[in-house]
Amino acid sequence: MIDVEDLTFSYTRETSPILKNFSLKLVEDKSVSIMGANGSGKTTLSRCLNGLLLPESGTVRVDGLDTRQKDENLKIRALVGMVFQNPDNQIVSTTVEREVAFGLENLEVPYEEMHRRVEAILRQFGLEKYRHKSPHYLSGGEKQLLALASIFVMSPKYIILDEPTSLLDPASREKILDAVFELREKSGIIPILITQFPEETLRTDRLILLHKGKIVFDEKPADVFEHEKELREIGIGVPLYFSLKPQLEKLHLWGVV
Amino acid sequence: MTIRLENVSFRYTQGIEGFFGQEQILQNISFRIDSGEFVGIVGPSGSGKTTLIQHFNGLLKPVSGRVLIDHKDITGQKKIPGNIRKKIGIVFQFPELQFFENTVYDEVSYGPRNLKIPGNEIEKRVREAFDLLELDFEDFRDRAPFHLSEGQKRRVAIASILVMKPEVLIFDEPTAGMDFRGVLRLKSFIRSLKNSGRTVILVSHDMAFIAETVDRILCLKNGQLIFDGTKIDFFSDVPILQKANLREPEIVRLARALRQENIPVPFSITDLRGMKRFLEARLKSENSFKIR
């Protein structure tokens, strides 16, 4: 469980806090998505969850480990994998293959096993043809795939996906999400999906909606999207089918098409 | 301003072939975009879209084939005439990669300053661009570009292109990471550009966005042009969509499902507003039928 208690965070003393007295519990048996307008605090929250940012006051505990405890840092990072919005922020190696192996090398995984895991991931993400190439020569979308692959390979317990698919074509986007939710089935990984695509949240059990650093909805995604009017006021769209629900219902087509 | 490509092929230079393999990024591409057109460029990740648009203003040069701007061949020219860069503006995927000034004002005015346009004219243009993008002039002029939110950065990047008064505007994945309200605002802004007679070219994976904006679609796959035609033809061509790793926009999928339920949705409906209007009209006629 990730337990956020009374968290307050601001980037500088002069500006008002992005998150103020914020509490949230993320439990093992529920996948989560987080939505909110640009600037609502999504990315800040996600960086507090793995200790990249530390609370000004309040606590964040990952499976009981306090993120402010310096010596727990490595353990927390291994538990909570994170894929960033902009892949250039996380790619460090000179070839695609090395990039995928980088995290495993740091964890001192034995060579044979590392080799096997890197191979499997390269194949799963369709990156094997680029293995010896420099990540610089990949397109924006392919870099996003690589960034995901290099986190996936470490098999974290929680995985934070911060708009990981914004530059991908729709089929690759589905492929990524399929991979995430397949892993959920197989190994129980807990996805925390930050997204601007309302359709994508329908795959998760729980949708948390942020507005100005506060939780305004925390329910099953389909239940949240019943509130189209309120959502629009805070700059959130609903999946297309939900916008047409009144008309489709009256025509007795809701659930049919 | 017309942009014409004749049998354009491209790969990154010979010297690094060893690193990058032998493959062509673009293969034998030909088409023409006329003044005032509204075009979407789509295709899977890595299909060559960004490489293609960099040929439109001479940022990249083809290995073979020709690029003609207003019937003038720019392929062989060592130096691309300045007015081509001025008239064909590109807003790239990651706006922060193009920032380098300390304040938003300096960033946006950089292009016109370089062209030695008088200061009062520059300020006038910057204000106009800010207005169009709903950036408050007094609030934003002295802010640091790197400290803005993603959506604001994107708008500043667009403003810095707009002040050059380009005739052709190219946007590379403009909706990536943008929230719902930002996308709505961008949509109406892009439509207003189009209505002012400018050529607008959008590179995007966001099929709903494409469906609600452009008229014509160019689709790339593995560096080849596999479709060039109207938006309506493109979205009804399921095999092509699959080939290009794309999905029908939700609205097109819904229209198809409705047709299977014997509700004749016209093929021209590709956006939410049109669909809502159609369903409302259908409801009305059903109700009046019942009364009779």
Side-chain angles (χ1 to χ4, degrees), chain B residues 76 87 91 106 132 152 155 173 176 198-199 217 232 236 275 277:
Chain B
K87 286 183 177 162
V91 182
D106 286 349
L132 262 172
Q152 290 163 345
R155 280 186 277 154
E173 296 290 357
R198 273 175 269 217
T199 309
I217 285 187
I232 294 162
S236 41
M275 179 63 89
R277 220 178 288 143

Short mmCIF file of all heavy atoms in Angstrom, two decimals, chain B residues 76 87 91 106 132 152 155 173 176 198-199 217 232 236 275 277:
data_model
loop_
_atom_site.label_atom_id
_atom_site.label_comp_id
_atom_site.label_asym_id
_atom_site.label_seq_id
_atom_site.Cartn_x
_atom_site.Cartn_y
_atom_site.Cartn_z
N GLY B 76 18.70 22.14 -54.57
CA GLY B 76 20.13 22.27 -54.81
C GLY B 76 20.75 23.46 -54.10
O GLY B 76 21.96 23.61 -54.06
N LYS B 87 8.16 32.21 -43.99
CA LYS B 87 6.79 31.97 -44.44
C LYS B 87 6.28 30.59 -44.08
O LYS B 87 5.08 30.35 -44.09
CB LYS B 87 6.69 32.19 -45.95
CG LYS B 87 6.75 33.66 -46.30
CD LYS B 87 6.59 33.86 -47.76
CE LYS B 87 6.57 35.34 -48.09
NZ LYS B 87 6.85 35.57 -49.51
N VAL B 91 6.00 24.33 -35.57
CA VAL B 91 5.97 24.24 -34.11
C VAL B 91 6.27 22.79 -33.75
O VAL B 91 5.50 21.89 -34.05
CB VAL B 91 4.59 24.63 -33.54
CG1 VAL B 91 4.62 24.58 -32.01
CG2 VAL B 91 4.19 26.02 -34.02
N ASP B 106 11.39 38.13 -24.77
CA ASP B 106 12.59 37.97 -25.61
C ASP B 106 12.48 36.73 -26.49
O ASP B 106 12.91 36.73 -27.64
CB ASP B 106 13.84 37.84 -24.72
CG ASP B 106 14.21 39.19 -24.10
OD1 ASP B 106 13.64 40.21 -24.53
OD2 ASP B 106 15.07 39.20 -23.19
N LEU B 132 -4.07 36.30 -29.54
CA LEU B 132 -4.61 35.14 -30.24
C LEU B 132 -4.50 33.88 -29.40
O LEU B 132 -5.34 32.99 -29.46
CB LEU B 132 -3.82 34.91 -31.54
CG LEU B 132 -4.45 35.46 -32.81
CD1 LEU B 132 -3.48 35.33 -33.97
CD2 LEU B 132 -5.75 34.70 -33.14
N GLN B 152 1.26 26.12 -21.33
CA GLN B 152 1.69 27.51 -21.55
C GLN B 152 2.94 27.54 -22.44
O GLN B 152 3.04 28.37 -23.34
CB GLN B 152 1.99 28.20 -20.22
CG GLN B 152 0.73 28.47 -19.42
CD GLN B 152 1.03 28.76 -17.95
OE1 GLN B 152 2.13 28.49 -17.46
NE2 GLN B 152 0.07 29.32 -17.25
N ARG B 155 1.96 27.24 -25.93
CA ARG B 155 1.40 28.46 -26.50
C ARG B 155 2.48 29.49 -26.81
O ARG B 155 2.42 30.20 -27.81
CB ARG B 155 0.33 29.04 -25.56
CG ARG B 155 -1.00 28.30 -25.74
CD ARG B 155 -2.09 28.92 -24.94
NE ARG B 155 -2.08 28.47 -23.56
CZ ARG B 155 -2.57 29.16 -22.54
NH1 ARG B 155 -3.10 30.34 -22.74
NH2 ARG B 155 -2.54 28.66 -21.33
N GLU B 173 2.47 17.16 -33.53
CA GLU B 173 1.82 16.63 -32.31
C GLU B 173 1.40 17.75 -31.34
O GLU B 173 1.84 17.76 -30.19
CB GLU B 173 2.74 15.65 -31.57
CG GLU B 173 3.06 14.40 -32.33
CD GLU B 173 1.87 13.44 -32.48
OE1 GLU B 173 0.78 13.73 -31.93
OE2 GLU B 173 2.02 12.43 -33.16
N ALA B 176 -0.29 16.68 -27.78
CA ALA B 176 0.35 15.74 -26.85
C ALA B 176 0.49 16.38 -25.47
O ALA B 176 1.04 17.46 -25.33
CB ALA B 176 1.72 15.32 -27.38
N ARG B 198 -4.64 30.95 -44.19
CA ARG B 198 -3.32 30.32 -44.13
C ARG B 198 -3.41 28.82 -44.38
O ARG B 198 -4.44 28.21 -44.17
CB ARG B 198 -2.69 30.59 -42.78
CG ARG B 198 -1.92 31.91 -42.80
CD ARG B 198 -1.40 32.24 -41.44
NE ARG B 198 -2.40 33.02 -40.74
CZ ARG B 198 -2.09 34.03 -39.93
NH1 ARG B 198 -0.83 34.34 -39.72
NH2 ARG B 198 -3.04 34.71 -39.32
N THR B 199 -2.29 28.28 -44.83
CA THR B 199 -2.20 26.83 -44.98
C THR B 199 -1.87 26.26 -43.61
O THR B 199 -0.97 26.77 -42.93
CB THR B 199 -1.06 26.46 -45.94
OG1 THR B 199 -1.22 27.22 -47.13
CG2 THR B 199 -1.06 24.98 -46.25
N ILE B 217 -5.98 14.20 -45.93
CA ILE B 217 -5.05 13.41 -45.13
C ILE B 217 -3.96 12.78 -45.98
O ILE B 217 -4.22 12.23 -47.06
CB ILE B 217 -5.81 12.32 -44.33
CG1 ILE B 217 -6.52 13.02 -43.16
CG2 ILE B 217 -4.87 11.23 -43.82
CD1 ILE B 217 -7.17 12.12 -42.18
N ILE B 232 -12.81 12.02 -45.16
CA ILE B 232 -13.96 11.10 -45.10
C ILE B 232 -13.61 9.76 -45.75
O ILE B 232 -13.91 8.70 -45.22
CB ILE B 232 -15.20 11.76 -45.74
CG1 ILE B 232 -15.63 12.95 -44.87
CG2 ILE B 232 -16.35 10.77 -45.89
CD1 ILE B 232 -16.54 13.94 -45.55
N SER B 236 -13.15 5.95 -43.74
CA SER B 236 -14.01 4.81 -44.06
C SER B 236 -13.19 3.67 -44.67
O SER B 236 -13.72 2.64 -45.02
CB SER B 236 -15.17 5.23 -44.97
OG SER B 236 -14.74 6.14 -45.94
N MET B 275 -22.67 14.61 -34.69
CA MET B 275 -23.36 13.40 -34.25
C MET B 275 -24.50 13.73 -33.31
O MET B 275 -25.60 13.18 -33.39
CB MET B 275 -22.35 12.45 -33.59
CG MET B 275 -22.96 11.16 -33.09
SD MET B 275 -23.65 10.13 -34.41
CE MET B 275 -22.23 9.16 -34.87
N ARG B 277 -26.18 16.52 -33.15
CA ARG B 277 -27.25 17.15 -33.91
C ARG B 277 -28.06 16.09 -34.66
O ARG B 277 -29.29 16.10 -34.66
CB ARG B 277 -26.65 18.14 -34.92
CG ARG B 277 -27.45 19.42 -35.03
CD ARG B 277 -26.78 20.39 -35.99
NE ARG B 277 -25.57 21.00 -35.47
CZ ARG B 277 -24.48 21.27 -36.20
NH1 ARG B 277 -24.44 20.96 -37.49
NH2 ARG B 277 -23.44 21.84 -35.66
#
